[in-house]
Amino acid sequence: MNIKVLGACCKRSLETYENTKLAAKALGLDATVENIGDPGEIAGYGVMRTPAVVVDEKVISQGRFLRQKDAEALLKKHLGL
Amino acid sequence: MESLRAAWDFFQNQVLGMHWLNTLVGRILTSLGVDTGTRLGGSAQFFVYDTIKILVLLSVLIYGISYIQSFFPPERTKKILGRFHGLTANTLSALLGTVTPFCSCSSIPLFIGFTNAGLPLGVTFSFLISSPLVDLGSLILLMSVFGAKIAVAYVSVGLVLAVAGGTILGRLGLEEYVQKFKTAGSVDIESPDLTREERLQYSLEQVRETVGRVYPYVLVGVGIGALIHNWIPAGWIQTVLGARNPFSVVLATVIGVPMYADIFGTIPVAEALYAKGVGLGTILSFMMAVTALSLPSIVMLGKVVKPKLLGIFVGIVTFGIIVIGYLFNAFGFVLA
């Protein structure tokens, strides 16, 4: 599974990236978690608010700062765990 | 009518302006042995009062405003704007800029998102000008500090600047100066309908996040305000920024443009300058220059538009701010 956290220019986004990494690990997911900062790539997903979370090329959250437990809840819901 | 007026005055001075807090801070400082009549004591009173006032108002306002904003994510704004043309689109864009949540971080994806959706360049710029310049929070905070008339005047001219600036930029036909980005074209992603609880939770997150981000600017702003309030002679300030200097507006704008500060950090500085007799137009120009343009935002925007368009954008906004300043200095007395 591939998880991307879009947005790398502010604390809000960078912390969401860290928290998502922790969440994926806590859930025991076999996933690579990347941080994307390139504006063209971000816009390519149709995202206009960072931070955003993309799982296997599908946007599942945008414009929301995620704590670890928020990220866990989000991933669980998306994956139907 | 009389009682209505008294009620409004009470609301403006005591609820929004929190004058009772100023009295309270003064009494506490006095009981601690600080003479608030002295410069140092007066500065301390201004600092404590203004910091508490702004942070309390900020928290309450962000909470309420975020709730409203949760109904207007940029995806939705983009769709709404796509249905309109010409001046209507520019006006709507400027208005939606005041309620759409926006951080300077998102300006590039937002710019690309808007232009890729086929929104005219001018409409996108109306949004980009109005979004940092005018929001509901600044309207209420300005009311607390300067009164309703001046607050409404600030918001009105801010919107006029956004509509006019965007319209002019749109007419110039500068589309070729936008950097092309390879994207999947215009992607519409669904923004899920939020429940009431989710909106309230989002509002709370916004308060936590915004106050955490903005408070250093508020402290610096209030600090500068306290300095101006009690230490810098009114005569100096009036010589540089007062009516005696015909270039005061230009000076205030040129100093303000590269500065990066939040509107909430700018207001205490403006408040202190106003108390020292600086013209209303000069103060409005300073606040607008600080919030609408800043070095970091110009650098960011430089990644999506070519230098020529960037230069024209900065030029038009700066010129507009200067014109507004002179108009208010000349005709501002009708608001007093």
Side-chain angles (χ1 to χ4, degrees), chain A residues 30-49:
Chain A
D30 180 22
T32 51
V33 186
E34 289 177 80
N35 188 214
I36 306 291
D38 178 59
E41 202 172 341
I42 295 174
Y45 287 101
V47 165
M48 290 190 280
R49 285 176 297 158

PDB file of all heavy atoms in Angstrom, chain A residues 30-49:
ATOM      1  N   ASP A  30       1.263  -2.672   5.981  1.00  0.00           N
ATOM      2  CA  ASP A  30       2.416  -2.835   5.126  1.00  0.00           C
ATOM      3  C   ASP A  30       2.357  -1.702   4.096  1.00  0.00           C
ATOM      4  O   ASP A  30       1.819  -1.858   3.005  1.00  0.00           O
ATOM      5  CB  ASP A  30       2.350  -4.205   4.438  1.00  0.00           C
ATOM      6  CG  ASP A  30       3.556  -4.413   3.515  1.00  0.00           C
ATOM      7  OD1 ASP A  30       4.580  -3.730   3.730  1.00  0.00           O
ATOM      8  OD2 ASP A  30       3.445  -5.227   2.583  1.00  0.00           O
ATOM      9  N   ALA A  31       2.873  -0.546   4.508  1.00  0.00           N
ATOM     10  CA  ALA A  31       2.682   0.632   3.654  1.00  0.00           C
ATOM     11  C   ALA A  31       3.942   1.483   3.591  1.00  0.00           C
ATOM     12  O   ALA A  31       4.714   1.558   4.541  1.00  0.00           O
ATOM     13  CB  ALA A  31       1.538   1.474   4.200  1.00  0.00           C
ATOM     14  N   THR A  32       4.145   2.118   2.431  1.00  0.00           N
ATOM     15  CA  THR A  32       5.183   3.138   2.355  1.00  0.00           C
ATOM     16  C   THR A  32       4.486   4.475   2.537  1.00  0.00           C
ATOM     17  O   THR A  32       3.438   4.725   1.945  1.00  0.00           O
ATOM     18  CB  THR A  32       5.869   3.135   0.981  1.00  0.00           C
ATOM     19  OG1 THR A  32       4.858   3.182  -0.026  1.00  0.00           O
ATOM     20  CG2 THR A  32       6.727   1.902   0.783  1.00  0.00           C
ATOM     21  N   VAL A  33       5.059   5.319   3.375  1.00  0.00           N
ATOM     22  CA  VAL A  33       4.460   6.632   3.603  1.00  0.00           C
ATOM     23  C   VAL A  33       5.415   7.694   3.061  1.00  0.00           C
ATOM     24  O   VAL A  33       6.571   7.756   3.450  1.00  0.00           O
ATOM     25  CB  VAL A  33       4.190   6.876   5.102  1.00  0.00           C
ATOM     26  CG1 VAL A  33       3.435   8.180   5.301  1.00  0.00           C
ATOM     27  CG2 VAL A  33       3.409   5.727   5.716  1.00  0.00           C
ATOM     28  N   GLU A  34       4.911   8.494   2.111  1.00  0.00           N
ATOM     29  CA  GLU A  34       5.750   9.517   1.503  1.00  0.00           C
ATOM     30  C   GLU A  34       5.212  10.904   1.820  1.00  0.00           C
ATOM     31  O   GLU A  34       4.025  11.081   2.076  1.00  0.00           O
ATOM     32  CB  GLU A  34       5.710   9.394  -0.027  1.00  0.00           C
ATOM     33  CG  GLU A  34       6.413   8.214  -0.625  1.00  0.00           C
ATOM     34  CD  GLU A  34       6.180   8.237  -2.131  1.00  0.00           C
ATOM     35  OE1 GLU A  34       6.879   8.999  -2.809  1.00  0.00           O
ATOM     36  OE2 GLU A  34       5.266   7.518  -2.597  1.00  0.00           O
ATOM     37  N   ASN A  35       6.096  11.886   1.753  1.00  0.00           N
ATOM     38  CA  ASN A  35       5.689  13.275   1.911  1.00  0.00           C
ATOM     39  C   ASN A  35       5.916  13.991   0.583  1.00  0.00           C
ATOM     40  O   ASN A  35       7.013  13.953   0.028  1.00  0.00           O
ATOM     41  CB  ASN A  35       6.527  13.916   3.027  1.00  0.00           C
ATOM     42  CG  ASN A  35       6.049  15.308   3.395  1.00  0.00           C
ATOM     43  OD1 ASN A  35       6.832  16.160   3.738  1.00  0.00           O
ATOM     44  ND2 ASN A  35       4.759  15.543   3.322  1.00  0.00           N
ATOM     45  N   ILE A  36       4.871  14.601   0.044  1.00  0.00           N
ATOM     46  CA  ILE A  36       4.953  15.252  -1.261  1.00  0.00           C
ATOM     47  C   ILE A  36       4.842  16.761  -1.101  1.00  0.00           C
ATOM     48  O   ILE A  36       3.882  17.262  -0.516  1.00  0.00           O
ATOM     49  CB  ILE A  36       3.798  14.779  -2.181  1.00  0.00           C
ATOM     50  CG1 ILE A  36       3.753  13.254  -2.278  1.00  0.00           C
ATOM     51  CG2 ILE A  36       3.906  15.433  -3.557  1.00  0.00           C
ATOM     52  CD1 ILE A  36       4.886  12.609  -3.016  1.00  0.00           C
ATOM     53  N   GLY A  37       5.821  17.476  -1.637  1.00  0.00           N
ATOM     54  CA  GLY A  37       5.775  18.929  -1.511  1.00  0.00           C
ATOM     55  C   GLY A  37       5.601  19.641  -2.842  1.00  0.00           C
ATOM     56  O   GLY A  37       5.333  20.833  -2.888  1.00  0.00           O
ATOM     57  N   ASP A  38       5.749  18.901  -3.947  1.00  0.00           N
ATOM     58  CA  ASP A  38       5.704  19.539  -5.269  1.00  0.00           C
ATOM     59  C   ASP A  38       4.301  20.063  -5.586  1.00  0.00           C
ATOM     60  O   ASP A  38       3.340  19.301  -5.615  1.00  0.00           O
ATOM     61  CB  ASP A  38       6.129  18.519  -6.324  1.00  0.00           C
ATOM     62  CG  ASP A  38       6.068  19.084  -7.720  1.00  0.00           C
ATOM     63  OD1 ASP A  38       6.764  20.089  -7.966  1.00  0.00           O
ATOM     64  OD2 ASP A  38       5.285  18.575  -8.551  1.00  0.00           O
ATOM     65  N   PRO A  39       4.187  21.377  -5.827  1.00  0.00           N
ATOM     66  CA  PRO A  39       2.866  21.970  -6.033  1.00  0.00           C
ATOM     67  C   PRO A  39       2.113  21.360  -7.215  1.00  0.00           C
ATOM     68  O   PRO A  39       0.899  21.164  -7.126  1.00  0.00           O
ATOM     69  CB  PRO A  39       3.148  23.458  -6.291  1.00  0.00           C
ATOM     70  CG  PRO A  39       4.614  23.632  -6.313  1.00  0.00           C
ATOM     71  CD  PRO A  39       5.265  22.382  -5.835  1.00  0.00           C
ATOM     72  N   GLY A  40       2.841  21.040  -8.289  1.00  0.00           N
ATOM     73  CA  GLY A  40       2.184  20.456  -9.454  1.00  0.00           C
ATOM     74  C   GLY A  40       1.572  19.114  -9.103  1.00  0.00           C
ATOM     75  O   GLY A  40       0.435  18.804  -9.493  1.00  0.00           O
ATOM     76  N   GLU A  41       2.323  18.321  -8.362  1.00  0.00           N
ATOM     77  CA  GLU A  41       1.837  16.998  -7.997  1.00  0.00           C
ATOM     78  C   GLU A  41       0.637  17.101  -7.049  1.00  0.00           C
ATOM     79  O   GLU A  41      -0.340  16.368  -7.175  1.00  0.00           O
ATOM     80  CB  GLU A  41       2.973  16.202  -7.343  1.00  0.00           C
ATOM     81  CG  GLU A  41       2.727  14.713  -7.424  1.00  0.00           C
ATOM     82  CD  GLU A  41       3.918  13.891  -6.953  1.00  0.00           C
ATOM     83  OE1 GLU A  41       5.041  14.423  -6.906  1.00  0.00           O
ATOM     84  OE2 GLU A  41       3.697  12.711  -6.620  1.00  0.00           O
ATOM     85  N   ILE A  42       0.731  18.059  -6.103  1.00  0.00           N
ATOM     86  CA  ILE A  42      -0.390  18.255  -5.169  1.00  0.00           C
ATOM     87  C   ILE A  42      -1.650  18.637  -5.932  1.00  0.00           C
ATOM     88  O   ILE A  42      -2.716  18.060  -5.744  1.00  0.00           O
ATOM     89  CB  ILE A  42      -0.046  19.335  -4.117  1.00  0.00           C
ATOM     90  CG1 ILE A  42       1.102  18.841  -3.230  1.00  0.00           C
ATOM     91  CG2 ILE A  42      -1.262  19.671  -3.269  1.00  0.00           C
ATOM     92  CD1 ILE A  42       1.621  19.872  -2.257  1.00  0.00           C
ATOM     93  N   ALA A  43      -1.484  19.610  -6.834  1.00  0.00           N
ATOM     94  CA  ALA A  43      -2.635  20.074  -7.604  1.00  0.00           C
ATOM     95  C   ALA A  43      -3.173  18.964  -8.498  1.00  0.00           C
ATOM     96  O   ALA A  43      -4.363  18.917  -8.789  1.00  0.00           O
ATOM     97  CB  ALA A  43      -2.264  21.294  -8.434  1.00  0.00           C
ATOM     98  N   GLY A  44      -2.285  18.062  -8.913  1.00  0.00           N
ATOM     99  CA  GLY A  44      -2.687  16.942  -9.763  1.00  0.00           C
ATOM    100  C   GLY A  44      -3.739  16.058  -9.121  1.00  0.00           C
ATOM    101  O   GLY A  44      -4.528  15.417  -9.804  1.00  0.00           O
ATOM    102  N   TYR A  45      -3.749  16.046  -7.805  1.00  0.00           N
ATOM    103  CA  TYR A  45      -4.773  15.267  -7.101  1.00  0.00           C
ATOM    104  C   TYR A  45      -6.053  16.076  -6.886  1.00  0.00           C
ATOM    105  O   TYR A  45      -6.984  15.606  -6.252  1.00  0.00           O
ATOM    106  CB  TYR A  45      -4.237  14.795  -5.739  1.00  0.00           C
ATOM    107  CG  TYR A  45      -3.216  13.690  -5.858  1.00  0.00           C
ATOM    108  CD1 TYR A  45      -1.860  13.954  -5.742  1.00  0.00           C
ATOM    109  CD2 TYR A  45      -3.618  12.379  -6.109  1.00  0.00           C
ATOM    110  CE1 TYR A  45      -0.919  12.936  -5.866  1.00  0.00           C
ATOM    111  CE2 TYR A  45      -2.690  11.363  -6.244  1.00  0.00           C
ATOM    112  CZ  TYR A  45      -1.347  11.643  -6.117  1.00  0.00           C
ATOM    113  OH  TYR A  45      -0.422  10.645  -6.244  1.00  0.00           O
ATOM    114  N   GLY A  46      -6.044  17.295  -7.383  1.00  0.00           N
ATOM    115  CA  GLY A  46      -7.224  18.134  -7.199  1.00  0.00           C
ATOM    116  C   GLY A  46      -7.296  18.718  -5.801  1.00  0.00           C
ATOM    117  O   GLY A  46      -8.317  19.263  -5.390  1.00  0.00           O
ATOM    118  N   VAL A  47      -6.196  18.609  -5.078  1.00  0.00           N
ATOM    119  CA  VAL A  47      -6.184  19.084  -3.701  1.00  0.00           C
ATOM    120  C   VAL A  47      -5.856  20.573  -3.651  1.00  0.00           C
ATOM    121  O   VAL A  47      -4.930  21.030  -4.288  1.00  0.00           O
ATOM    122  CB  VAL A  47      -5.145  18.280  -2.878  1.00  0.00           C
ATOM    123  CG1 VAL A  47      -4.835  18.963  -1.563  1.00  0.00           C
ATOM    124  CG2 VAL A  47      -5.660  16.881  -2.637  1.00  0.00           C
ATOM    125  N   MET A  48      -6.669  21.333  -2.928  1.00  0.00           N
ATOM    126  CA  MET A  48      -6.386  22.753  -2.794  1.00  0.00           C
ATOM    127  C   MET A  48      -6.108  23.163  -1.359  1.00  0.00           C
ATOM    128  O   MET A  48      -5.898  24.328  -1.069  1.00  0.00           O
ATOM    129  CB  MET A  48      -7.532  23.575  -3.369  1.00  0.00           C
ATOM    130  CG  MET A  48      -7.594  23.473  -4.881  1.00  0.00           C
ATOM    131  SD  MET A  48      -8.742  24.626  -5.588  1.00  0.00           S
ATOM    132  CE  MET A  48     -10.246  23.777  -5.309  1.00  0.00           C
ATOM    133  N   ARG A  49      -6.188  22.209  -0.465  1.00  0.00           N
ATOM    134  CA  ARG A  49      -5.877  22.516   0.926  1.00  0.00           C
ATOM    135  C   ARG A  49      -4.937  21.458   1.464  1.00  0.00           C
ATOM    136  O   ARG A  49      -5.240  20.271   1.388  1.00  0.00           O
ATOM    137  CB  ARG A  49      -7.154  22.509   1.776  1.00  0.00           C
ATOM    138  CG  ARG A  49      -8.026  23.719   1.566  1.00  0.00           C
ATOM    139  CD  ARG A  49      -9.297  23.572   2.357  1.00  0.00           C
ATOM    140  NE  ARG A  49     -10.073  22.422   1.890  1.00  0.00           N
ATOM    141  CZ  ARG A  49     -10.992  21.807   2.630  1.00  0.00           C
ATOM    142  NH1 ARG A  49     -11.220  22.195   3.848  1.00  0.00           N
ATOM    143  NH2 ARG A  49     -11.674  20.802   2.131  1.00  0.00           N
TER     144      ARG A  49
END
